[in-house]
Every structure is written in structure tokens, then in C-alpha cells.
Amino acid sequence: GNEENVKVPDLIGVEFSQIKRKLNNYSLNLGLINFDENINDTITCIVYKQDPSYHEQVPLGNYVSIWLKDSSD
């Protein structure tokens, strides 16, 4: 097919406040956001898991889900 693909960026360790901009740079969208129960500050919490994972090829505009934990953990 003629579909444009993009490599998923590495979001592990990135602060939640930076995620949207980082995904926008790759023409990707934010999917499900899964916050750990013990998070104190949702701005500075960081990604520890993402789906699809780093370097996977996905269509432009694809959704990337993230799991977040407290940055102090």
C-alpha cells in the first residue's frame, strides 16, 4: 500500500507534560493514559511502558498508549 509509516519514538522516562509534543513531532496521537495509583504529581510523572513499543512501524496518526509512574519511584 501507499500508507506512510513512522517509527514510534522512545517515550520511556519522558515526563507526562512532554508526551503530547513529542508524539506530535512524529504525527502520532496519545492513546490510553494509565496512571499508577501512587502518583502524586501528574505533570512530572514519567512513562515506564508504552504500546506500541519503541521503533515499531505504525501508520501516521496512530495512537500510542502510555503507563505512568511517580518520577520519584
Side-chain angles (χ1 to χ4, degrees):
N2 221 352
E3 259 189 73
E4 286 225 38
N5 281 352
V6 63
K7 274 199 175 117
V8 177
D10 187 9
L11 301 176
I12 306 301
V14 177
E15 281 191 3
F16 182 49
S17 58
Q18 309 287 320
I19 293 293
K20 272 214 167 107
R21 191 170 65 206
K22 189 150 184 175
L23 287 174
N24 284 343
N25 290 342
Y26 290 82
S27 302
L28 294 168
N29 291 300
L30 186 52
L32 293 174
I33 304 166
N34 307 280
F35 290 105
D36 270 15
E37 289 166 24
N38 61 344
I39 283 180
N40 299 314
D41 187 349
T42 53
I43 301 295
T44 61
C45 62
I46 58 171
V47 177
Y48 68 89
K49 184 182 166 198
Q50 65 182 76
D51 180 36
S53 55
Y54 177 43
H55 263 335
E56 273 191 52
Q57 294 266 7
V58 297
L60 291 176
N62 204 59
Y63 287 88
V64 179
S65 296
I66 55 172
W67 284 255
L68 296 139
K69 65 177 183 179
D70 216 54
S71 57
S72 57
D73 281 359

